[in-house]
Amino acid sequence: MKSISTSIPSLAASLVLGAMLNGIAIAEAPSVEGDRVWVSYNSGQKGPIRRFLQKQGAEIHHEFDGVNAVAATIPARAIQGLSRNPHVRSIEVDPKRYLLNHEGPQEIPYGVIQAQADSSAGVSESHVGNVTICIIDTGLDSSHFNLSGNVLNGTNDSGTGNWYEDGHGHGTHVAGTIAATDQGWRGVVGVIESGAKLHIIKVFDDNGGWAYSSDLAKAMGDCRTAAGDGNLVVSMSLGGSFASANEEAAFADDFAGGKSVIVAAAGNDGNRRYSYPASYDSVISVAAVDDRERRARFSQRNDQVEISAAGVDVLSTYPDGLFATMSGTSMATPHVSGVAALVWSNHASCSGQQIRNALAGGAKDLGEAGRDINTGFGLVQAKTTNDGIQPEDCSFAGDGGGGDGGGGDGGGGGKDKPCNPKKPGCNG
Ligand SMILES: [Ca+2]
Ligand SMILES: [Ca+2]
């Protein structure tokens, strides 16, 4: 009796199994010419099977003598005859295996949708070229098809290699969340999908490792040089436990000029420590949430946490045309950077502080009412923020939901909010 092979583990759920032809189970009846199959045969019958296949016009790709099988592409018309061959034990589809690189179809990462930054949310990208987005990281792979459509420039730091190469992957992933361009059927999209103006500063080498606070202070200056006197969003998916007065001054001075929004990761230690630069008053500290808007366990919690975005299993670009899922406040940060740039591009006359206020006001309140140490003002929201900014004076006028939550400064949860960026005193 012929044994039956109907199981293809990875595809079993979606296959139509058990098309029985003459007692042989065909795992999925090959329906079109050119299907590639495994043909298992009885021991010692390789010769007759080979001859039979060749006669039918099949192309044999591999021969597995040890298990009495061949892999072959067989014309559809020959399948039935093959199944009747007394030497054939089973015919099974040769299922495809892919590099886990998300070649298609295109996927909109959940964090982009969660941030109201997918195209269906409808925030105009017509003016995104007005804002320079400076990413301080491991560089990026400028040849990635989801990134090459951006306006790309950069600065090499000494000793870290070329900004347009990324032997690590972190910077390429961050950049994709901000600005992976819409390539139709393939890849991913970022918060901005029609091409952004990026300036890449590579402060980390291909091992990741570390940079010094002075490297970041210098990078801040290079970001400003790149933006000229234009609006600048600085995105830093990095941090460390020790503050530096000189570094703090570099960020505070630029922010005071009104032409920057500076964004950094809250930290991944899950404790209440401050991480810097995020916990300087001039810098927006970003916490991570998951796809159900719950704080990520690793996300640091303190009164500097200002806003939140997706940071758990975030899908984005990776070097060499690949894609990867990564977790961290590093992944949450670029969602906020991208939203800040997107919103600011539509309200170019507003100051960095006003955009920052609007991000807080437009955020979707999470957890306990009002600002809290887990998620700050809540989940960053591109559409609500963009639409709530008043053109006359750049103030934010929310229409309920997150806007009201953020607006209720003295409202619920008053314990943990000594520094409210909606109040003038907070950011000096
Ligand atoms: Ca801060
Ligand atoms: Ca809250």
Side-chain angles (χ1 to χ4, degrees):
M1 176 170 174
K2 292 165 180 171
S3 70
I4 293 174
S5 174
T6 57
S7 168
I8 302 174
S10 67
L11 294 180
S14 61
L15 293 181
V16 179
L17 295 175
M20 300 297 288
L21 286 171
N22 208 23
I24 297 176
I26 297 178
E28 180 186 37
S31 54
V32 295
E33 187 156 340
D35 267 353
R36 184 158 154 165
V37 295
W38 288 86
V39 179
S40 299
Y41 50 82
N42 294 325
S43 183
Q45 299 304 316
K46 180 180 174 183
I49 290 297
R50 274 187 115 263
R51 284 191 291 278
F52 181 85
L53 289 174
Q54 281 162 352
K55 196 172 153 193
Q56 297 293 329
E59 180 186 359
I60 297 174
H61 304 286
H62 304 292
E63 301 181 11
F64 300 92
D65 295 348
V67 294
N68 298 317
V70 296
T73 300
I74 299 172
R77 60 181 156 70
I79 290 287
Q80 187 131 355
L82 184 65
S83 71
R84 291 199 186 102
N85 187 302
H87 303 307
V88 170
R89 282 192 293 127
S90 70
I91 305 168
E92 174 185 276
V93 167
D94 189 3
K96 290 175 180 166
R97 299 288 181 261
Y98 302 88
L99 273 176
L100 296 179
N101 65 358
H102 196 69
E103 259 300 306
Q106 184 186 73
E107 181 166 339
I108 304 174
Y110 81 86
V112 173
I113 298 169
Q114 203 178 53
Q116 298 180 322
D118 58 310
S119 58
S120 73
V123 180
S124 170
E125 295 192 0
S126 300
H127 309 289
V128 289
N130 293 343
V131 181
T132 300
I133 305 169
C134 195
I135 304 173
I136 303 174
D137 212 293
T138 62
L140 96 174
D141 181 351
S142 64
S143 67
H144 195 292
F145 66 83
N146 268 146
L147 296 173
S148 56
N150 291 290
V151 177
L152 296 173
N153 287 291
T155 304
N156 293 332
D157 230 20
S158 63
T160 59
N162 295 318
W163 64 265
Y164 50 83
E165 295 170 343
D166 178 11
H168 185 279
H170 190 270
T172 299
H173 197 276
V174 163
T177 294
I178 295 175
T181 57
D182 181 7
Q183 295 298 313
W185 60 274
R186 62 180 182 164
V188 295
V189 292
V191 168
I192 296 169
E193 61 177 53
S194 61
K197 185 177 165 190
L198 304 183
H199 192 86
I200 308 299
I201 301 188
K202 184 167 180 165
V203 297
F204 299 105
D205 65 17
D206 288 348
N207 296 317
W210 67 84
Y212 291 99
S213 70
S214 56
D215 295 329
L216 298 188
K218 176 183 180 295
M220 176 68 240
D222 290 337
C223 291
R224 172 48 61 195
T225 299
D229 62 359
N231 294 332
L232 165 69
V233 172
V234 179
S235 190
M236 293 180 285
S237 290
L238 51 85
S241 296
F242 298 100
S244 152
N246 287 305
E247 180 195 40
E248 179 171 21
F251 292 118
D253 287 352
D254 199 87
F255 183 62
K259 295 282 191 178
S260 57
V261 170
I262 308 172
V263 187
N268 296 335
D269 290 336
N271 56 27
R272 296 199 180 205
R273 286 196 72 161
Y274 291 138
S275 181
Y276 301 96
S279 293
Y280 298 135
D281 285 347
S282 59
V283 178
I284 297 175
S285 177
V286 181
V289 298
D290 66 13
D291 59 351
R292 295 169 62 186
E293 303 179 353
R294 302 172 300 192
R295 167 188 162 263
R297 261 174 296 184
F298 55 74
S299 189
Q300 271 164 249
R301 329 152 59 203
N302 53 57
D303 57 27
Q304 279 284 341
V305 169
E306 191 162 324
I307 202 160
S308 305
V312 178
D313 296 336
V314 173
L315 176 68
S316 187
T317 46
Y318 208 67
D320 300 325
L322 301 179
F323 298 84
T325 298
M326 298 176 77
S327 296
T329 52
S330 281
M331 284 64 242
T333 299
H335 288 97
V336 173
S337 305
V339 169
L342 176 60
V343 167
W344 207 355
S345 73
N346 291 319
H347 302 278
S349 65
C350 301
S351 72
Q353 178 70 66
Q354 287 167 326
I355 296 301
R356 186 178 182 180
N357 293 348
L359 290 169
K364 178 183 178 184
D365 193 14
L366 301 177
E368 65 181 89
R371 185 175 187 173
D372 61 71
I373 63 170
N374 292 324
T375 60
F377 288 102
L379 185 64
V380 71
Q381 298 283 269
K383 175 75 171 164
T384 306
T385 302
N386 188 71
D387 293 357
I389 296 177
Q390 304 302 295
E392 319 84 65
D393 61 359
C394 293
S395 66
F396 181 81
D399 59 346
D404 283 353
D409 290 341
K415 296 190 292 276
D416 297 307
K417 51 190 187 67
C419 180
N420 183 337
K422 299 182 110 182
K423 293 179 175 174
C426 180
N427 300 300

